[in-house]
DNA sequence: GTACAGATTGAG
DNA sequence: TCAATCTGTACT
């Protein structure tokens, strides 16, 4: 059977942000680098819905040099540095001018991992294997390191870029496999916003970030 | 010009 | 539990 590989188009990113955050689970991110392709399956996401969301960088409708990519029409990359060390990959959603985005928090590595044995392992084997979890893209900072993403991807259009895009490979994550939970690391936003269950992940997937 | 905190991570 | 590490942002 032929595997379907369809690049996600603008319509996908124009869905309501919470829906897009859930739909992104099970989609594949592809970064073409040199002659290789780094490919990962998205297994964890978080939604940020400014300007009302106190945890969002666009809270209150704030526009800065850093966050302006959040306002782009759905399908653009908003990437920024936290703690002076780690890049965070976000994808803008919704129409132009509305600061909503989805943070990609974890991937299941599909190809590109330096150990070629890796791609033949299924998730259960990954969990049981002795491979160092250290280099896994199982966290927002580690994911960017694994995919080799940095500021040069700021504002990149995922529907048009020749080096990075998202694919639908015909995989459908059933509703019962999607878990909604509180977002991570945003307690400063206050209980109301910190308690919103806008983090989604694939149940039992070993590549979901540790909390 | 200067102070300051952060959508994390890994070591101790 | 805590330091690393640095840029954007806000304020003097």
């Amino acid at each position: 059977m032929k595997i379907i590989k369809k690049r996600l188009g603008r319509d996908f990113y124009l869905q309501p942000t919470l829906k897009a955050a859930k739909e992104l689970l099970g989609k594949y991110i592809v970064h073409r680098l040199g002659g290789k392709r780094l490919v990962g399956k998205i297994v964890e996401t978080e939604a940020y819905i400014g300007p009302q969301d106190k945890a969002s960088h666009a809270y209150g409708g704030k526009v800065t040099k850093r966050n302006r990519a959040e306002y782009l029409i759905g399908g653009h990359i908003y990437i920024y540095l936290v703690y002076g060390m780690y890049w965070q990959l976000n994808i803008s959603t919704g129409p132009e001018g509305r600061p909503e985005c989805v943070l990609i928090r974890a991937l299941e590595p599909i190809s590109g991992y330096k150990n070629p044995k890796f791609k033949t392992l299924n998730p259960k084997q990954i969990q049981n294997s002795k491979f160092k979890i250290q280099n896994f893209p199982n966290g927002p900072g580690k994911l960017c390191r694994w995919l080799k993403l940095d500021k040069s991807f700021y504002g990149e259009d995922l529907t048009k870029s020749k080096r990075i895009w998202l694919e639908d490979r015909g995989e459908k994550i059933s509703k019962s496999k999607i878990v909604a939970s509180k977002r991570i690391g945003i307690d400063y936003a206050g209980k109301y916003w910190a308690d919103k269950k806008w983090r989604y992940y694939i149940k039992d997937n070993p590549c979901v970030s540790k909390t």
Side-chain angles (χ1 to χ4, degrees):
Chain A
M1 194 175 78
K2 195 179 184 329
I3 299 175
I4 308 159
K5 295 183 181 177
K6 187 167 171 267
R7 182 193 282 234
L8 299 182
R10 191 71 70 206
D11 287 353
F12 182 90
Y13 303 104
L14 291 178
Q15 299 179 95
T17 300
L18 294 180
K19 185 158 192 293
K22 278 179 269 195
E23 292 276 328
L24 279 168
L25 297 175
K27 297 297 186 291
Y28 290 74
I29 184 161
V30 182
H31 176 198
R32 205 170 68 177
L33 183 66
K36 295 208 308 190
R37 280 179 187 206
L38 299 168
V39 184
K41 184 169 95 174
I42 298 172
V43 299
E44 181 179 351
T45 61
E46 264 179 20
Y48 286 86
I49 306 183
Q52 67 271 35
D53 181 358
K54 213 169 174 184
S56 166
H57 291 159
Y59 176 60
K62 188 172 71 166
V63 185
T64 65
K65 196 181 164 192
R66 178 172 82 163
N67 78 2
R68 70 194 144 80
E70 270 196 278
Y71 290 81
L72 296 173
I73 190 169
H76 287 81
I77 288 180
Y78 167 41
I79 191 166
Y80 66 91
L81 195 66
V82 266
Y83 302 112
M85 273 171 273
Y86 301 107
W87 293 99
Q88 308 280 290
L89 175 65
N90 297 256
I91 299 170
S92 70
T93 51
E96 173 88 32
R98 198 184 295 174
E100 305 188 6
C101 66
V102 176
L103 169 68
I104 309 300
R105 286 190 57 89
L107 302 176
E108 184 181 312
I110 302 300
S111 76
Y113 191 70
K114 61 185 174 188
N115 188 331
K117 277 185 188 169
F118 187 86
K119 65 180 183 184
T120 64
L121 298 175
N122 65 40
K124 196 119 194 174
Q125 288 173 305
I126 293 168
Q127 198 167 32
N128 297 330
S129 80
K130 292 197 168 66
F131 286 121
K132 279 190 178 170
I133 201 87
Q134 191 179 359
N135 297 320
F136 276 39
N138 62 335
K142 298 159 85 180
L143 168 164
C144 286
R145 199 168 60 191
W146 190 86
L147 274 179
K148 302 197 190 305
L149 300 181
D150 58 26
K151 192 167 190 159
S152 74
F153 287 84
Y154 192 91
E156 192 99 354
D157 187 344
L158 290 166
T159 68
K160 293 183 179 145
S161 173
K162 291 191 166 60
R163 56 177 179 163
I164 189 165
W165 60 88
L166 296 188
E167 280 178 4
D168 183 345
R169 296 193 172 180
E171 203 168 325
K172 175 77 182 163
I173 309 297
S174 68
K175 218 168 180 178
S176 61
K177 292 284 279 180
I178 298 178
V179 182
S181 72
K182 285 166 61 172
R183 293 177 290 176
I184 310 292
I186 52 151
D187 287 345
Y188 62 83
K191 196 167 174 7
Y192 180 79
W193 293 103
D195 282 354
K196 287 241 178 264
K197 293 188 173 173
W198 287 356
R199 167 175 174 249
Y200 304 102
Y201 60 90
I202 299 178
K203 197 177 178 183
D204 297 328
N205 189 296
C207 295
V208 169
S209 69
K210 312 246 182 318
T211 56

